[in-house]
Amino acid sequence: MATSPHRPPAGLSRRSLLGGAAALAAVPLLSSCVGFNTSGGKAGSLDFLSTQFTPVEEKQRFEKVLADAKVNAAYNAVEGNVFASTLTSQAEAGSVQVSLAGAMHGELAPLADRFTDVDGLLKGKLAQAEYPKDLLELAKAGGSTAKYIPWMQASYVVAVHKRALEWLPSGADVNSLTYDQYLDWAIAARKANGSPVFGFPAGPDGLYARFVQGHLLPSFTGGQVTTFRSADAIDAWKYMKELWANFVPASTNYDNMQEPLAKGEVMVAWDHIARIIEAPKGNPDEWLLVPSPKGPKGLGYMLVVAGLAIPDGAPDPDGATDAILSLSEPDVQIEVLKQNTFFPVSVTELPDDLEGATKLAAEAITAQREAKDAIMALPPVGTGERDGEVTAVFQNSFRQICLDDRSIKSVVDEQAAELQSILDDLKIPCWAPDPAEAVCEVG
């Protein structure tokens, strides 16, 4: 029996911009920010610049997907700032070399006026793709016409080794946990095991800031920026501090959770799906992947969506269009899921032979997204080269409160001022789950 069709998310706001794990991940070298050298691809291949699949192994797997789909492209995976500066510099110089651009929504939207309208493609050859309306609205980046084609999506979930279930609080449903139950479980497991078994990606390159931005604060406050200094946010940090006390101390070294999970150093951990999927791959029957916990305001979760755009003046727009059509085919979307654990953006029937861990991931992401009280959150939008500074606000908040044991209110007030200073310079609207305002302000 086939797995249920994977349905893309609903409820995305047009004002929302997306970034994701790639914005925080290590990236490969690129020879130049402007006149970059292409890598791979056959003679006559189109230049495909992307912020996705930057780790070498992921890039190699995606290049095979391209080859199998007969997309003749030189795939160059770069950091977000290199992506933006390359496209901008080439456009301003009147010498566009990139034919196809792939990136997170939050990276594409600020460059929307440099991309070709793709409404004709969506209404024509992709009319049967069944993208959700709100996702298509998001692709307009605040304008009146679509500037990119939705490409793929991912999210963050909790990995659980079944051995840890023996300490699950009585009456708790592991697939629908509250944050209080999550904490009680961590405490019970620590006491019974004699040492903590819950872990957290708080290493130098860990994605713990995404947990704060997309999961903790939305679940406790309903927002990310406009509720940053609220009483509910203070409660969220009090909770986080207590939860942190029950995590494996080595969590400050964990950049991803799949390695400590696979080694048995940790039995329960939250992380980006691409950073935990390897743990259950060898023995999926011993694992569960479940939605993030829910708080007083609901189940806050961060969604990551990427798109494909054609720069104005691209040397090979027809080739780019053909590449987009190929990458939008259901079988190619499924292959990207199998290889790099990014999920289809249109309604796609998942195959019976889907690998066990990937099937677990698909079920967890679907359950999380379709939860009645789900609160979809997005990474910072429109922050561009200052995205790292915004991320640092959430990182500093966590580190100073949980690791340095500083006063929660003092830290929140200081970091709120820092965040407001950045937003004052940028003068950008807020992003989900915060309400759209002309200029985003810290609340």
Side-chain angles (χ1 to χ4, degrees), residues 263-306:
K263 292 177 180 176
E265 297 175 7
V266 168
M267 293 187 193
V268 181
W270 167 97
D271 207 344
H272 190 283
I273 191 65
R275 293 181 171 213
I276 57 175
I277 195 68
E278 292 296 325
K281 266 194 173 178
N283 49 359
D285 291 342
E286 297 180 9
W287 293 86
L288 296 173
L289 296 181
V290 302
S292 293
K294 59 185 68 178
K297 300 297 184 183
L299 197 171
Y301 75 98
M302 182 165 280
L303 180 67
V304 180
V305 176

Side-chain angles (χ1 to χ4, degrees), residues 134-176:
D134 285 348
L135 198 59
L136 293 176
E137 190 66 27
L138 190 67
K140 295 178 182 177
S144 59
T145 57
K147 290 295 185 176
Y148 67 81
I149 302 296
W151 179 15
M152 56 191 184
Q153 61 172 318
S155 191
Y156 301 76
V157 297
V158 176
V160 179
H161 193 284
K162 290 183 178 178
R163 283 177 52 203
L165 294 176
E166 65 178 293
W167 304 307
L168 189 67
S170 176
D173 178 355
V174 72
N175 288 295
S176 183

Side-chain angles (χ1 to χ4, degrees), residues 115-131:
F115 296 140
T116 299
D117 292 348
V118 290
D119 271 353
L121 191 55
L122 285 169
K123 296 175 182 176
K125 294 181 178 180
L126 290 175
Q128 304 302 316
E130 295 190 64
Y131 299 109

Side-chain angles (χ1 to χ4, degrees), residues 360-428:
L360 291 176
E363 292 172 347
I365 288 176
T366 299
Q368 180 168 268
R369 192 183 64 234
E370 296 184 350
K372 290 187 297 184
D373 53 354
I375 302 173
M376 193 271 294
L378 303 175
V381 172
T383 49
E385 294 182 351
R386 303 194 68 176
D387 185 69
E389 296 176 56
V390 175
T391 298
V393 166
F394 295 91
Q395 290 174 325
N396 292 339
S397 298
F398 167 77
R399 300 187 73 81
Q400 293 178 21
I401 291 171
C402 295
L403 305 187
D404 301 339
D405 197 27
R406 290 193 56 207
S407 159
I408 293 174
K409 188 174 187 311
S410 295
V411 171
V412 168
D413 285 345
E414 291 171 8
Q415 295 303 318
E418 179 65 26
L419 181 56
Q420 187 60 63
S421 175
I422 298 169
L423 295 174
D424 285 344
D425 290 343
L426 294 173
K427 295 181 173 54
I428 55 176

Side-chain angles (χ1 to χ4, degrees), residues 48-405:
F48 186 171
L49 187 68
S50 173
T51 61
Q52 300 304 291
F53 310 134
T54 52
V56 173
E57 296 82 2
E58 290 185 11
K59 180 174 183 286
Q60 291 173 338
R61 290 196 293 267
F62 184 65
E63 287 175 332
K64 185 176 185 306
V65 171
L66 289 173
D68 291 345
K70 303 189 185 309
V71 175
N72 185 18
Y75 186 74
N76 291 278
V78 300
E79 291 182 80
N81 62 333
V82 175
F83 177 84
S85 63
T86 297
L87 294 176
T88 300
S89 298
Q90 290 186 0
E92 291 178 347
S95 179
V96 177
Q97 301 171 42
V98 174
S99 288
L100 182 60
M104 293 299 168
H105 174 82
E107 296 164 328
L108 292 172
L111 301 170
D113 61 353
R114 300 193 184 282
F115 296 140
T116 299
D117 292 348
V118 290
D119 271 353
L121 191 55
L122 285 169
K123 296 175 182 176
K125 294 181 178 180
L126 290 175
Q128 304 302 316
E130 295 190 64
Y131 299 109
K133 291 182 179 178
D134 285 348
L135 198 59
L136 293 176
E137 190 66 27
L138 190 67
K140 295 178 182 177
S144 59
T145 57
K147 290 295 185 176
Y148 67 81
I149 302 296
W151 179 15
M152 56 191 184
Q153 61 172 318
S155 191
Y156 301 76
V157 297
V158 176
V160 179
H161 193 284
K162 290 183 178 178
R163 283 177 52 203
L165 294 176
E166 65 178 293
W167 304 307
L168 189 67
S170 176
D173 178 355
V174 72
N175 288 295
S176 183
L177 291 169
T178 66
Y179 273 103
D180 284 342
Q181 291 171 329
Y182 196 67
L183 174 59
D184 289 344
W185 188 13
I187 293 172
R190 175 182 57 76
K191 290 180 177 178
N193 186 60
S195 61
V197 302
F198 279 50
F200 191 59
D205 292 322
L207 299 177
Y208 58 98
R210 296 305 193 214
F211 178 78
V212 177
Q213 294 170 313
H215 295 253
L216 180 71
L217 292 182
S219 295
F220 277 78
T221 74
Q224 183 182 129
V225 175
T226 60
T227 57
F228 190 89
R229 298 177 62 185
S230 66
D232 289 336
I234 299 297
D235 288 342
W237 282 114
K238 288 178 180 176
Y239 171 88
M240 189 68 214
K241 195 169 182 177
E242 191 172 1
L243 183 63
W244 171 254
N246 290 279
F247 281 157
V248 171
S251 291
T252 51
N253 299 321
Y254 295 153
D255 291 335
N256 71 72
M257 294 312 304
Q258 56 197 8
E259 293 180 9
L261 284 165
K263 292 177 180 176
E265 297 175 7
V266 168
M267 293 187 193
V268 181
W270 167 97
D271 207 344
H272 190 283
I273 191 65
R275 293 181 171 213
I276 57 175
I277 195 68
E278 292 296 325
K281 266 194 173 178
N283 49 359
D285 291 342
E286 297 180 9
W287 293 86
L288 296 173
L289 296 181
V290 302
S292 293
K294 59 185 68 178
K297 300 297 184 183
L299 197 171
Y301 75 98
M302 182 165 280
L303 180 67
V304 180
V305 176
L308 295 166
I310 303 173
D312 286 335
D316 189 3
D318 292 339
T321 299
D322 290 343
I324 289 173
L325 292 174
S326 295
L327 291 172
S328 301
E329 288 289 335
D331 59 335
V332 179
Q333 293 254 310
I334 291 296
E335 196 59 26
V336 172
L337 169 61
K338 289 180 176 178
Q339 296 299 327
N340 281 342
T341 326
F342 270 82
F343 291 79
V345 287
S346 56
V347 176
T348 302
E349 190 77 18
L350 299 182
D352 291 333
D353 64 349
L354 199 61
E355 189 266 337
T358 305
K359 183 178 180 182
L360 291 176
E363 292 172 347
I365 288 176
T366 299
Q368 180 168 268
R369 192 183 64 234
E370 296 184 350
K372 290 187 297 184
D373 53 354
I375 302 173
M376 193 271 294
L378 303 175
V381 172
T383 49
E385 294 182 351
R386 303 194 68 176
D387 185 69
E389 296 176 56
V390 175
T391 298
V393 166
F394 295 91
Q395 290 174 325
N396 292 339
S397 298
F398 167 77
R399 300 187 73 81
Q400 293 178 21
I401 291 171
C402 295
L403 305 187
D404 301 339
D405 197 27

